[in-house]
Amino acid sequence: MSSEKQYIDLFEASKALICSHSAAALNAVRDQAFDDFKRQGFPSRKVERYKYTDMAELFAPDYGLNLSRLDIPVDPYSVFSCDVPNLSTSLYFVVNDTFYKKVLPKASLPEGVEVMSLREAAEVHPELVEGRYAQLAKTSDDAITALNTMLAQDGLFIHVPKGVKVERAIQVVNILRADVDLMVNRRVLIVMDEGAEAQLLFCDDSADDRNFLSTQVIEAYVGENASLDLYCLEETHEKNTRVSNVYVEQQANSRVSHDVITLHNGTTRNMLNLTFKGEGAECWCNGCVIADKGQRVDNNTLIDHQVGHCDSHELYKYVLDGHAVGAFAGRVLVRHGAQKTTSQETNQNLCMTKAARMYTQPMLEIYADDVKCAHGSTVGQLNDAALFYMQQRGIDQHEAKMLLELAFVGEVIDQIKLEPLRDRLHQLVEKRFRGELGRCQGCRLTRPLADGGCKR
């Protein structure tokens, strides 16, 4: 049986069940998504944006799905056990692909701000969901997005109304929990109205030592003069396969920061599509990858400058050890008429062993003549002279190596605007390089409190 056929047969046999446990807005695009998936099939490596990851192989195993939306028992507060000192968040949970309503933060959000189940939002706020859901994430353009759209039944909805500034960061913990090998299909819809500001922290973690396959599609609408900081952190395990597609649309004078940090994983494939729709907008897209053993991380980005006077900045760094495989493909597209565009794209990588592999492909595609655009990439090893210099001053080789690795990725971590999170990540990265993070079951990002905040 082909990888596609099992999902085609599943949908045809279970369509009524899938729809009965979802909402009208999600069901309205399901058939089109199914047709698009059947037409495209899983992308082969001949497809430019998927040339470094075999998607059919990732989706070939027979995973279970919770299409009946059975309640899965979980204690969300047992997932994290380490602190982020001085970081107080409004804390929410998504268990597999279902918004967890049994535990909600007691601290109220500013008036009008909504954080809720996507399925529920489609029913109570159809004016906010209809016309946005599955519009940025076009199923005709990407087979993985099509697969997610045809199977997703719930997810997360975040809305920040006009002019509202959310002072406390909103933290969402995505928990993978199952007694069997499981596939989850999660959706996130973010709507930032004109002048709205928010910081969102997404943490992926697994509560069970099972094989998990998760697809995630995030659509973020960032209105005029709005500001969105989106942090995505992965601390799962080697049996986890994660495929995440993020779509962002920016209006005039908006600001977006998107940071992807991969500390522990099995196979991860992140795709970012960011489109400038209004002049004067800015984005900062940063990525930090630490991988060893046989872990794989593939980041693929497209920054689409459709209008002029916009700035984009990309910085992705990888440290690969053991037999790890990394890939980065970043394309900056400057369309006709997008004059006064400024763009900088940088990818830097360290391969710590001869067995580690890194594939890098930064690209500029420019159809305007008044722009300032640059790109570059490097792949190498630690500087022998620097290592020798440090050893001459009494630092042993292992410690010297770790300090140089810390300095290398520190540039990315320093881009994070949440100071407590930035400090904590510096600590976790050091633990990771020392080999402590993989051995410690308690070395997680945060320890939530029962009131929905985080321990100081």
Side-chain angles (χ1 to χ4, degrees), residues 315-428:
L315 176 62
Y316 279 75
K317 290 194 172 188
Y318 290 60
V319 177
L320 305 176
D321 211 333
H323 290 79
V325 178
F328 171 81
R331 178 180 171 215
V332 176
L333 172 60
V334 182
R335 296 182 182 267
H336 291 284
Q339 307 293 355
K340 303 296 182 182
T341 288
T342 300
S343 178
Q344 175 64 52
E345 180 183 35
T346 304
N347 173 226
Q348 297 175 334
N349 312 283
L350 288 178
C351 289
M352 306 305 297
T353 66
K354 293 182 179 180
R357 293 288 181 270
M358 182 66 202
Y359 302 92
T360 177
Q361 188 180 22
M363 295 171 280
L364 293 177
E365 189 174 344
I366 302 173
Y367 299 98
D369 54 13
D370 188 6
V371 302
K372 293 181 180 179
C373 298
H375 70 301
S377 68
T378 59
V379 180
Q381 297 179 326
L382 290 178
N383 187 304
D384 289 337
L387 277 173
F388 178 77
Y389 177 88
M390 296 173 76
Q391 289 177 268
Q392 288 293 97
R393 277 145 185 82
I395 302 175
D396 68 59
Q397 185 177 23
H398 178 76
E399 188 75 8
K401 172 186 170 185
M402 187 272 297
L403 291 173
L404 289 174
E405 290 173 329
L406 280 175
F408 178 76
V409 301
E411 184 181 1
V412 176
I413 304 299
D414 286 340
Q415 303 297 314
I416 292 176
K417 297 179 178 63
L418 277 173
E419 183 178 354
L421 175 61
R422 182 172 67 243
D423 293 342
R424 180 59 179 153
L425 280 173
H426 277 300
Q427 296 172 13
L428 287 179

